[in-house]
Amino acid sequence: GLEIPPPVVEFALERLTRRNLTNCHFIECNANVDARNVTRAIRAAGGRVKTVTVQFPDPHFKEKHKKRRVTTPQMVADVAEALRE
């Protein structure tokens, strides 16, 4: 998972450890800015992106809040590229 607030990432990583889960990870970053770099790094390391989900994006419908949207056309294109490979 890609999350911005560090406490959310720390909480999620602690839950992974407690449950002994090894097939996922959480990263502190901005999905709109870093999705392409993260998915490319995963693939470069020999990994594969099988699934991407977006949980509870903030719906900013007004044009003046466009920069705050989580699901931008570029982010969707970056995720689609990662899933095709």
Side-chain angles (χ1 to χ4, degrees), residues 11-81:
F11 175 76
L13 291 173
E14 288 170 7
R15 289 182 80 178
L16 290 178
T17 302
R18 280 195 313 263
R19 295 178 182 189
N20 200 29
L21 298 174
T22 59
N23 63 344
C24 58
H25 192 70
F26 293 87
I27 302 170
E28 177 190 337
C29 69
N30 183 329
N32 282 335
V33 176
D34 300 312
R36 173 181 282 173
N37 294 333
V38 169
T39 57
R40 286 183 175 173
I42 291 168
R43 294 189 321 268
R48 182 170 165 222
V49 178
K50 296 181 184 178
T51 304
V52 174
T53 63
V54 178
Q55 306 297 320
F56 312 112
D58 294 329
H60 293 286
F61 299 108
K62 293 182 180 179
E63 187 63 27
K64 69 180 184 176
H65 297 298
K66 186 176 185 176
K67 65 181 180 247
R68 297 182 185 162
R69 294 179 187 158
V70 174
T71 50
T72 63
Q74 183 61 55
M75 186 220 172
V76 172
D78 294 341
V79 168
E81 174 189 321

